[in-house]
């Protein structure tokens, strides 16, 4: 058991937090990437660590959905041709980084995230 700030983190909590982050990859199969973190957040709200990590993953995926839509629209003026791949690569890398941090029981905060859902 590790401690993140003042929250005791069990191995089970770490596993659920990793699932919250990695579940965003369902987006690669045409399912909205925010559904996985949303399900984990709703199911495990009783665990403070999992709840905070799933909420952050949900906010991150909502933010990057917005950034992706704006970039896709910007393709019309050619700016999106550069922005869209940058958004996609950044999303992919940050999901991996957050998953690794969660597997160590660390509280990871995604950069570039709009806080749509508050805790």
């Amino acid at each position: 058991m590790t401690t993140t700030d003042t929250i005791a983190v069990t191995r089970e909590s770490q596993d659920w937090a990793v699932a919250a982050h990695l579940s965003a990859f369902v987006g690669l199969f045409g399912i909205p990437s925010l559904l996985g973190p949303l399900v984990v957040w709703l199911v495990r709200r009783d665990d403070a660590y999992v709840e905070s990590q799933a909420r952050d993953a949900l906010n991150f995926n909502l933010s990057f959905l917005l950034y992706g839509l704006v970039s896709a629209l910007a393709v019309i003026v050619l700016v999106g041709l550069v922005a869209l791949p940058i958004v996609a690569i950044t999303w992919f890398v940050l999901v991996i980084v957050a998953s690794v941090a969660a597997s160590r029981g660390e509280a990871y905060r995604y950069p570039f995230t709009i806080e749509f859902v508050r805790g």
Side-chain angles (χ1 to χ4, degrees), residues 32-48:
S33 61
L34 56 97
L35 283 184
L38 175 63
V39 168
V40 173
W41 182 63
L42 291 173
V43 170
R44 298 297 301 197
R45 291 181 88 173
D46 59 323
D47 184 322

Side-chain angles (χ1 to χ4, degrees), residues 25-87:
F25 285 133
V26 300
L28 299 174
F29 301 104
I31 300 168
S33 61
L34 56 97
L35 283 184
L38 175 63
V39 168
V40 173
W41 182 63
L42 291 173
V43 170
R44 298 297 301 197
R45 291 181 88 173
D46 59 323
D47 184 322
Y49 177 68
V50 176
E51 190 272 334
S52 72
Q53 290 300 289
R55 185 183 63 245
D56 287 346
L58 178 59
N59 282 325
F60 171 75
N61 283 286
L62 282 167
S63 298
F64 269 71
L65 175 63
L66 177 64
Y67 303 151
L69 291 172
V70 170
S71 296
L73 289 173
V75 166
I76 295 169
V77 292
L78 302 178
V79 173
L81 294 175
V82 174
L84 199 53
I86 290 171
V87 168

Side-chain angles (χ1 to χ4, degrees), residues 3-25:
T3 304
T4 302
D5 296 332
T6 59
I7 302 170
V9 181
T10 64
R11 184 71 231 166
E12 181 182 10
S13 294
Q14 290 173 342
D15 292 343
W16 277 100
V18 169
H21 295 295
L22 287 180
S23 65
F25 285 133

